[in-house]
Amino acid sequence: METESDQHAASTDVISSAAHAARLVMLDTMDEKIRYACETLGEPSTSDVLAFLVTYGVVTNPKRERAAVAEKVGKWREERGLGDTGDLPRLSVKMLAELDGRKEADAAAEAEPQGDETDTPTGEITETAEAANPAKRKSPEGSRGFYLVAFMSLLVSVDTSWRFFGEKLGITNVYERAAMFAVVEVALIACGFAMRAEIRSPKGKPGPARLILWALCAASGYMAFDLAGPVSGLARVTLGPVLGVVMLHLALGIELRHTRARVTTWSRVSRELKERFLSRLGLGDDERDALARTRDRAARRAAHLARASWFTPFRKTRLDRALRAANAAHDDRMRARLMAELAAVQHADELRRLDLASPWSDSLSNSLKFLKR
């Protein structure tokens, strides 16, 4: 049963349809009728205008008159600055849902790894990428300041060389001394650039230029000490070639201590000694914080003091302090750890009386089974 609102809407549609039909009859040309349809529909497409004209009997053969209608609709939209939709139909909710589904399917297909890519090992891809794109080391920020300080420090080294060549080597001719005295400083600069080139190469190591650089520093130090003595010579060396080399390292982007890729014997020995030293101090990396380590050591110490003899100095005081440090009275975990430590210490003598199965019999049977295969 229709409601009053439905009846009102139906009557409104009938009146509107009659008005459109009367208006179309009053128009003379096809161009005017198409424009009226466009103005009535708002932003219509060619299909919308054809459907409107077919509804009111203006167009009887849509296929034949589509081209003419499309031209008029395009001109009308162009006059109003609207985009040309051509013959594209109006997108409905169903069509939008289908387009979204296709988009998600395409995204899922692109996310799946290709066969050629999965067959290639990861290590080879990484090595190829690294070989194709070698790591470039950028010059550190403030390199101009480093260059300035390096130049100023080389002036100190130049003064030392000038005086050494004149006073110690006896080269009094000014032109001869000028041609020879700066050989160390020029060699320092050349070694710095050579180290920079080696660092930026695929090897990534400073190379032999580093040894030559420090050898030249040693030679300049000898000249400074021989010329000015130990005190003034130390100042000349520190503010001269050593400072210049350090500034060149920073300015040219060269690390003072280059991290080697391969693990040497000395690095393994030093790492092992460091780990043993930290373990002796109770600072091994076992995922415990400082409080847990302190309480564990206190619980172990309390267990041993509880079993200690009465002649142990300050046994009672030390035991009380260890129990408080372990927080055994309030922490269930520490109390259980203390009891376990105490039980292990108390029954340590029973270890030698335990009747255990021989591990060699199982090993012998396993070896025989392996030989029978």
PDB file of all heavy atoms in Angstrom, residues 8-21:
ATOM      1  N   HIS A   8       2.963  11.478  -3.366  1.00  0.00           N
ATOM      2  CA  HIS A   8       3.403  12.838  -3.680  1.00  0.00           C
ATOM      3  C   HIS A   8       4.613  12.819  -4.611  1.00  0.00           C
ATOM      4  O   HIS A   8       4.712  13.615  -5.559  1.00  0.00           O
ATOM      5  CB  HIS A   8       3.745  13.570  -2.380  1.00  0.00           C
ATOM      6  CG  HIS A   8       4.227  14.979  -2.605  1.00  0.00           C
ATOM      7  ND1 HIS A   8       3.383  16.000  -3.029  1.00  0.00           N
ATOM      8  CD2 HIS A   8       5.470  15.539  -2.477  1.00  0.00           C
ATOM      9  CE1 HIS A   8       4.068  17.119  -3.149  1.00  0.00           C
ATOM     10  NE2 HIS A   8       5.344  16.863  -2.812  1.00  0.00           N
ATOM     11  N   ALA A   9       5.552  11.899  -4.366  1.00  0.00           N
ATOM     12  CA  ALA A   9       6.730  11.793  -5.228  1.00  0.00           C
ATOM     13  C   ALA A   9       6.343  11.363  -6.632  1.00  0.00           C
ATOM     14  O   ALA A   9       6.883  11.863  -7.630  1.00  0.00           O
ATOM     15  CB  ALA A   9       7.728  10.801  -4.621  1.00  0.00           C
ATOM     16  N   ALA A  10       5.393  10.420  -6.733  1.00  0.00           N
ATOM     17  CA  ALA A  10       4.962   9.964  -8.055  1.00  0.00           C
ATOM     18  C   ALA A  10       4.291  11.090  -8.826  1.00  0.00           C
ATOM     19  O   ALA A  10       4.522  11.276 -10.029  1.00  0.00           O
ATOM     20  CB  ALA A  10       4.016   8.772  -7.898  1.00  0.00           C
ATOM     21  N   SER A  11       3.474  11.856  -8.133  1.00  0.00           N
ATOM     22  CA  SER A  11       2.800  12.970  -8.810  1.00  0.00           C
ATOM     23  C   SER A  11       3.797  14.032  -9.247  1.00  0.00           C
ATOM     24  O   SER A  11       3.675  14.634 -10.321  1.00  0.00           O
ATOM     25  CB  SER A  11       1.754  13.581  -7.879  1.00  0.00           C
ATOM     26  OG  SER A  11       2.377  14.093  -6.700  1.00  0.00           O
ATOM     27  N   THR A  12       4.843  14.244  -8.420  1.00  0.00           N
ATOM     28  CA  THR A  12       5.878  15.217  -8.789  1.00  0.00           C
ATOM     29  C   THR A  12       6.625  14.765 -10.032  1.00  0.00           C
ATOM     30  O   THR A  12       6.933  15.569 -10.928  1.00  0.00           O
ATOM     31  CB  THR A  12       6.851  15.405  -7.617  1.00  0.00           C
ATOM     32  OG1 THR A  12       6.121  15.819  -6.461  1.00  0.00           O
ATOM     33  CG2 THR A  12       7.894  16.456  -7.952  1.00  0.00           C
ATOM     34  N   ASP A  13       6.956  13.458 -10.119  1.00  0.00           N
ATOM     35  CA  ASP A  13       7.641  12.930 -11.296  1.00  0.00           C
ATOM     36  C   ASP A  13       6.785  13.079 -12.549  1.00  0.00           C
ATOM     37  O   ASP A  13       7.292  13.401 -13.630  1.00  0.00           O
ATOM     38  CB  ASP A  13       7.994  11.458 -11.074  1.00  0.00           C
ATOM     39  CG  ASP A  13       9.042  11.288  -9.983  1.00  0.00           C
ATOM     40  OD1 ASP A  13       9.762  12.280  -9.698  1.00  0.00           O
ATOM     41  OD2 ASP A  13       9.138  10.186  -9.412  1.00  0.00           O
ATOM     42  N   VAL A  14       5.486  12.856 -12.405  1.00  0.00           N
ATOM     43  CA  VAL A  14       4.589  12.978 -13.565  1.00  0.00           C
ATOM     44  C   VAL A  14       4.538  14.413 -14.057  1.00  0.00           C
ATOM     45  O   VAL A  14       4.615  14.706 -15.262  1.00  0.00           O
ATOM     46  CB  VAL A  14       3.178  12.467 -13.198  1.00  0.00           C
ATOM     47  CG1 VAL A  14       2.192  12.785 -14.319  1.00  0.00           C
ATOM     48  CG2 VAL A  14       3.220  10.974 -12.936  1.00  0.00           C
ATOM     49  N   ILE A  15       4.446  15.343 -13.093  1.00  0.00           N
ATOM     50  CA  ILE A  15       4.402  16.761 -13.468  1.00  0.00           C
ATOM     51  C   ILE A  15       5.704  17.182 -14.129  1.00  0.00           C
ATOM     52  O   ILE A  15       5.723  17.898 -15.138  1.00  0.00           O
ATOM     53  CB  ILE A  15       4.104  17.617 -12.228  1.00  0.00           C
ATOM     54  CG1 ILE A  15       2.698  17.307 -11.700  1.00  0.00           C
ATOM     55  CG2 ILE A  15       4.233  19.098 -12.551  1.00  0.00           C
ATOM     56  CD1 ILE A  15       2.383  17.985 -10.387  1.00  0.00           C
ATOM     57  N   SER A  16       6.847  16.701 -13.555  1.00  0.00           N
ATOM     58  CA  SER A  16       8.145  17.051 -14.125  1.00  0.00           C
ATOM     59  C   SER A  16       8.300  16.473 -15.524  1.00  0.00           C
ATOM     60  O   SER A  16       8.801  17.145 -16.433  1.00  0.00           O
ATOM     61  CB  SER A  16       9.258  16.539 -13.205  1.00  0.00           C
ATOM     62  OG  SER A  16      10.522  16.808 -13.758  1.00  0.00           O
ATOM     63  N   SER A  17       7.878  15.237 -15.716  1.00  0.00           N
ATOM     64  CA  SER A  17       7.973  14.622 -17.040  1.00  0.00           C
ATOM     65  C   SER A  17       7.114  15.369 -18.054  1.00  0.00           C
ATOM     66  O   SER A  17       7.528  15.590 -19.202  1.00  0.00           O
ATOM     67  CB  SER A  17       7.534  13.154 -16.960  1.00  0.00           C
ATOM     68  OG  SER A  17       8.373  12.436 -16.071  1.00  0.00           O
ATOM     69  N   ALA A  18       5.943  15.779 -17.642  1.00  0.00           N
ATOM     70  CA  ALA A  18       5.074  16.537 -18.549  1.00  0.00           C
ATOM     71  C   ALA A  18       5.684  17.877 -18.907  1.00  0.00           C
ATOM     72  O   ALA A  18       5.604  18.340 -20.061  1.00  0.00           O
ATOM     73  CB  ALA A  18       3.708  16.732 -17.900  1.00  0.00           C
ATOM     74  N   ALA A  19       6.346  18.503 -17.928  1.00  0.00           N
ATOM     75  CA  ALA A  19       6.983  19.792 -18.197  1.00  0.00           C
ATOM     76  C   ALA A  19       8.131  19.630 -19.179  1.00  0.00           C
ATOM     77  O   ALA A  19       8.311  20.451 -20.096  1.00  0.00           O
ATOM     78  CB  ALA A  19       7.478  20.401 -16.894  1.00  0.00           C
ATOM     79  N   HIS A  20       8.937  18.545 -19.007  1.00  0.00           N
ATOM     80  CA  HIS A  20      10.041  18.305 -19.938  1.00  0.00           C
ATOM     81  C   HIS A  20       9.516  18.035 -21.346  1.00  0.00           C
ATOM     82  O   HIS A  20      10.072  18.548 -22.337  1.00  0.00           O
ATOM     83  CB  HIS A  20      10.881  17.119 -19.459  1.00  0.00           C
ATOM     84  CG  HIS A  20      11.655  17.405 -18.198  1.00  0.00           C
ATOM     85  ND1 HIS A  20      12.215  18.625 -17.923  1.00  0.00           N
ATOM     86  CD2 HIS A  20      11.958  16.602 -17.131  1.00  0.00           C
ATOM     87  CE1 HIS A  20      12.834  18.589 -16.750  1.00  0.00           C
ATOM     88  NE2 HIS A  20      12.677  17.349 -16.246  1.00  0.00           N
ATOM     89  N   ALA A  21       8.465  17.244 -21.434  1.00  0.00           N
ATOM     90  CA  ALA A  21       7.904  16.932 -22.758  1.00  0.00           C
ATOM     91  C   ALA A  21       7.364  18.187 -23.438  1.00  0.00           C
ATOM     92  O   ALA A  21       7.577  18.405 -24.646  1.00  0.00           O
ATOM     93  CB  ALA A  21       6.798  15.880 -22.611  1.00  0.00           C
TER      94      ALA A  21
END
